[in-house]
Amino acid sequence: MADRKNEGALAAAYAAKRPEEVAALYDRWSDTYDADMSAAGYRHPTICLALLARHLPRGAAPLLDAGAGTGLIGEWLKIAGYPQVEALDISEGMLAQAARKGVYSALHCLALGGPLPFADNAYAGIISAGVFTSGHVGAEGLDELIRICRPGGIIVLTVKNTLWDAGFAARIADLDAKGVVTRAEETSPYVSMPGEAETVPSRGLVLRVN
């Protein structure tokens, strides 16, 4: 089981109400985040990487790691053959850790959920692990990710069940019905951190932009 420090940080992250609270929390957590999440058995990066590799050809570029944190997925994307990945995160402290890994072509300190300063159709694929969850980003973050992903591109994200049942599922169904996206794959619900007590399950989702 993860230690009490980790449990407290996670609880605070889920309870956060404002973006500045989330940023400050992750700034404080950035030095030990990788070790803490490893101890918790954090699964989102592995699952998202597998989903992306199944639906987006090796070498597709550029990609956006939306909610990159310390760059856990960025390291694996480079190994898996995706040569150009940009990182976006709300926390300067987390991005500083990501920068040290040397795997991102650009770093953007920005919050999801509002307008993003990127051109339409800018990215071949977007990956967002552990971001659509309690206290972070809800369905309001989808529209901008869709806008900046080019037609035929892939968006891979994880969604906590509490958000899924509170309107996220309905929003995805509406976007699919309108032909904005196609739901290419959806995993069964899974526990993202087996080392954490009473973790609410999440699911992985793959959207192809039309």
Side-chain angles (χ1 to χ4, degrees):
M1 180 172 290
D3 61 26
R4 290 185 179 276
K5 178 183 176 182
N6 187 31
E7 291 175 357
L10 285 167
Y14 294 150
K17 302 297 184 184
R18 299 190 304 275
E20 56 268 28
E21 293 179 16
V22 176
L25 184 147
Y26 282 107
D27 284 346
R28 294 192 297 270
W29 195 5
S30 59
D31 286 343
T32 63
Y33 180 86
D34 282 6
D36 290 342
M37 297 307 273
S38 177
Y42 189 43
R43 293 173 168 176
H44 281 333
T46 308
I47 291 168
C48 284
L49 179 63
L51 291 172
L52 185 79
R54 188 147 61 220
H55 292 276
L56 192 67
R58 189 172 185 267
L63 306 186
L64 179 67
D65 184 357
T70 58
L72 291 173
I73 295 179
E75 290 185 283
W76 299 346
L77 286 170
K78 184 173 182 180
I79 293 168
Y82 297 95
Q84 184 183 350
V85 185
E86 299 179 17
L88 178 155
D89 200 86
I90 195 173
S91 164
E92 292 183 359
M94 300 290 268
L95 283 176
Q97 296 293 334
R100 293 188 178 98
K101 293 183 168 76
V103 295
Y104 291 108
S105 59
L107 302 168
H108 308 281
C109 191
L110 299 165
L112 293 176
L116 295 173
F118 305 125
D120 294 355
N121 311 327
Y123 296 100
I126 298 171
I127 194 163
S128 189
V131 175
F132 290 91
T133 186
S134 305
H136 289 53
V137 183
E140 72 280 356
L142 284 171
D143 289 346
E144 279 292 89
L145 294 186
I146 293 168
R147 179 186 68 78
I148 64 175
C149 187
R150 65 188 56 156
I154 291 295
I155 300 174
V156 177
L157 60 151
T158 63
V159 187
K160 189 173 284 291
N161 275 1
T162 46
L163 266 68
W164 186 258
D165 296 335
F168 208 103
R171 178 63 176 146
I172 293 296
D174 181 61
L175 290 167
D176 197 343
K178 290 178 178 176
V180 177
V181 300
T182 299
R183 186 170 1 195
E185 187 171 352
E186 180 183 329
T187 72
S188 300
Y190 62 90
V191 174
S192 62
M193 288 178 284
E196 289 293 313
E198 301 179 0
T199 301
V200 175
S202 302
R203 71 193 66 211
L205 190 64
V206 180
L207 304 175
R208 186 175 298 278
V209 176
N210 296 326

